[in-house]
Amino acid sequence: MFLTDARVEGRRQVARAMWVITLDAPEVAATVKAGQFVNLGLNPGPLLRRPFSVYRAIEDRIEVILQAVGAGTAQLLALREGDLVSCLGPLGRGFEIRSGGRSAVLISGGLGVAPMPVAARDARAAGLQVTWVHGARSAEDLCSESDGDAVIVATDDGSAGFAGTSVAAAPDADLVLACGPNRMLAAVAGRWPDAQVAVETYMGCGTGVCLGCAVPLKRGGYDLACTEGPVYRAGDVDWAALPSHLHYAATA
Amino acid sequence: MSVDMTVRIGGLQLRGPVMAASGTFGYGTEVPLLERRALGAMVSKGIFLKPRHGTAPPRIAETPSGMLNAIGLQGPGAEALIRDYAPQWAGWEFPVLVNINGESVSDYGELAARLDGVPGVAGFEVNISCPNVEQGGMYFGNDPRAAAAVTEAVRRRTRLPVWVKLTPMVADIGVIARAVESAGADAVSAVNTFVGMSMDINAYHPRLSFGTGGLSGPAIRPLAVHLAHQAARAVDIPVIGVGGIMRAEDALEFLIAGCTAVQVGTATFVNPKAIADVHDGIAAYLATKGFASLAELPRYLPRD
């Protein structure tokens, strides 16, 4: 884990309200695994950091994807090239992508696309055929970037691709990875209990000390999304007890 | 020039005045990028005798310059603490105090007795101020007789230092501070979180599942400085200031207000190196002002 002041290197729009920002963070870029995240802080800015899955890692740079959902993310979006962001990471346990089997399906909803490019990279490196499935409310909300041997898009309103959810549009595969609103992940759990899913929670420290990011488990009790997650076996999470009213990877 | 940063609190000699506040540092084994050299002491996450699951999510909500939390004292219980954490603490170069909790007066005494003599446990911080449990917690901190009864129950069962963590949710903190001092406390920590509430205007429901939560962070600092000062004026035992310290300047406010030492809490969530930054900043400030030791720092502590 590293704590660095990362320089903003650029920003691009990938959907109606979704941007990718590029940060210079060599240590994180060199060590991050699919599904891991960074906790970004601004000073002056809101008190708490904001967690973001690492979207891509290229040489010395990482990318994160964000949507302006509150004051914190709006401030991150207002950053310009050369500005500094405090970057803590990589954090959490990511997806476990092992060789074995032949196919992987990466299912995302909205901002849940965040961990998928790195997952696609690692799945391909493990010798798997990658199917990329991405869904959003409508065509303008779909992330314009994808990375798979096959690509399937889905929209709730049918304005592009499959009319319905990304979960309904997805084929079966040896390895199922998913990320998106918790309601969507609950549907994944119903169809593939062994799928690996990255959950959304409110998060404080990101490092396991505040105990704020509790994830209710079927076996009873809670554990912490920041250190024991954010990736879980879909069938292990008590979805009915996990609040699902916040956007993925953004808390304010 | 090196400044003498040592402080004495009750029976403990600390190499510096900055400690990790309970509930913000786990059991000391979880904190990443930890610079142990700067730690005067650590207070563990609060525990009960028995394991507890804690409250349902959402457990935290950010507020202007602060955060609400209702964790509900999730923890592994005394036996796991003795087995998994205390042996590690025994090898550390700073004391670890255990923040102890109970639903009844006798619970506190029993927990203290169980932990007394365990290598690695250097003392107790008696939590009579947690706002996020259904039974016990803040109830004991609201009433001078109950506060004294809990303190005495712990005092009887251990010879280790006994600190008592006070709640700010009282009319006169001096009354509670004096009550626990009379009951045998070696020091008081002032203050725990303030009870707060925030509503989700889309869900028509509190943002925390518990309903209310404890407010921490810079938002409470001036309130906490005032209460710590009131406590320091009321008692002769040391007062440990806690509440919204983010930087050395904030800690110095508590020290000048009459505190012997300070605890850093929420700041660690934002900056894992906050304790080291505060410690180093205090030392640099004292050197700049020409003081050879923290003890030389002038205090504002008028006598009534």
Side-chain angles (χ1 to χ4, degrees), chain A residues 207-235:
Chain A
T207 60
V209 291
C210 81
L211 312 186
C213 58
V215 175
L217 301 175
K218 280 249 175 69
R219 63 170 160 80
Y222 305 97
D223 71 11
L224 302 178
C226 68
T227 46
E228 290 149 308
V231 174
Y232 290 87
R233 182 181 169 274

Side-chain angles (χ1 to χ4, degrees), chain B residues 224-249:
Chain B
V225 169
H226 174 234
L227 289 162
H229 175 69
Q230 281 191 306
R233 288 174 73 155
V235 294
D236 293 322
I237 54 176
V239 174
I240 299 152
V242 49
I245 296 174
M246 304 297 285
R247 310 171 303 161
E249 290 84 343

Side-chain angles (χ1 to χ4, degrees), chain A residues 25-61:
Chain A
E27 301 97 334
V28 179
T31 53
V32 69
K33 287 172 48 188
Q36 287 190 300
F37 64 98
V38 290
N39 225 1
L40 301 182
L42 290 168
N43 190 10
L47 177 66
L48 299 176
R49 291 169 181 270
R50 298 286 184 272
F52 297 94
S53 290
V54 173
Y55 178 71
R56 291 203 299 182
I58 305 162
E59 293 171 354
D60 283 351
R61 296 169 176 187

